[in-house]
Amino acid sequence: MTNPVTPTIRPVRPADVPAVVAMVHELAAYERAPDQCHLTEEQLTSALFTTAPALFGHVAVDEHDAPVGFALWFLNFSTWAGVHGIYLEDLYVSPGARGTGAGRLLLATLADICVRRGYRRLKWWMIEWNPAAGFYASIGAEQMNEWVPYRLSGDALRHLAAQAEAADTRPGD
């Protein structure tokens, strides 16, 4: 048996978008929610490669420069620390590339960005039953149990937005 080749990490390029979108859909299936994933190549291209992107990405590529994993992330800001940080939206490594160090290298790349830019935190959420919890603990990540996530979407989001419209408090976007 041959040893797997350690992947290389680099920023996402436009040619990587189809592979990243396919892996996002694989991730949604893995997380038992394939019907909730609607990402298209056009959407991801627009988000990553606009003049002032708010989404950033890195890929782990094999020896043929084919993406085998990805990290999609954006900046957040800590009002208490007074500096930005990175929020990791999704991290995924294709099953055939697991065990090659791709996940660790993707996270190490984001940690390096944080350190070089003076950011204080790299944060992410993980689905409760994901076996990656052991891996995250092995790199020193702390599980944050005291914070409870909230989400507003669908009809509830539209209902609350209508209240801003009715009160004419909408910012001039």
Side-chain angles (χ1 to χ4, degrees):
M1 182 173 176
T2 61
N3 290 332
V5 175
T6 301
T8 301
I9 308 302
R10 62 169 172 73
V12 174
R13 299 175 183 156
D16 301 325
V17 167
V20 173
V21 169
M23 287 187 282
V24 168
H25 284 271
E26 287 176 25
L27 174 60
Y30 174 77
E31 291 186 353
R32 304 174 189 155
D35 58 321
Q36 295 177 36
C37 185
H38 305 288
L39 181 66
T40 67
E41 292 177 21
E42 294 77 20
Q43 288 172 321
L44 188 58
T45 297
S46 176
L48 288 169
F49 302 107
T50 186
T51 305
L55 179 70
F56 306 92
H58 285 78
V59 288
V61 296
D62 65 15
E63 66 273 19
H64 306 290
D65 203 40
V68 296
F70 73 88
L72 293 175
W73 57 277
F74 53 88
L75 296 180
N76 58 18
F77 187 82
S78 169
T79 55
W80 289 13
V83 296
H84 283 288
I86 287 178
Y87 182 83
L88 174 60
E89 177 65 21
D90 281 323
L91 173 75
Y92 182 76
V93 176
S94 296
R98 292 180 188 156
T100 63
R104 179 180 295 269
L105 287 171
L106 284 163
L107 286 171
T109 298
L110 299 187
D112 182 58
I113 292 169
C114 286
V115 170
R116 285 187 294 107
R117 294 182 184 178
Y119 301 162
R120 303 269 287 290
R121 296 179 182 147
L122 170 57
K123 295 174 72 172
W124 65 93
W125 287 89
M126 180 194 76
I127 200 158
E128 183 177 42
W129 49 263
N130 190 329
F135 163 64
Y136 293 146
S138 78
I139 62 170
E142 301 172 61
Q143 185 176 359
M144 306 295 292
N145 293 327
E146 66 272 14
W147 295 94
V148 178
Y150 282 83
R151 176 171 49 198
L152 203 57
S153 61
D155 289 340
L157 179 66
R158 286 185 285 281
H159 178 72
L160 187 58
Q163 293 175 36
E165 183 179 348
D168 197 26
T169 61
R170 292 183 293 177
D173 318 314

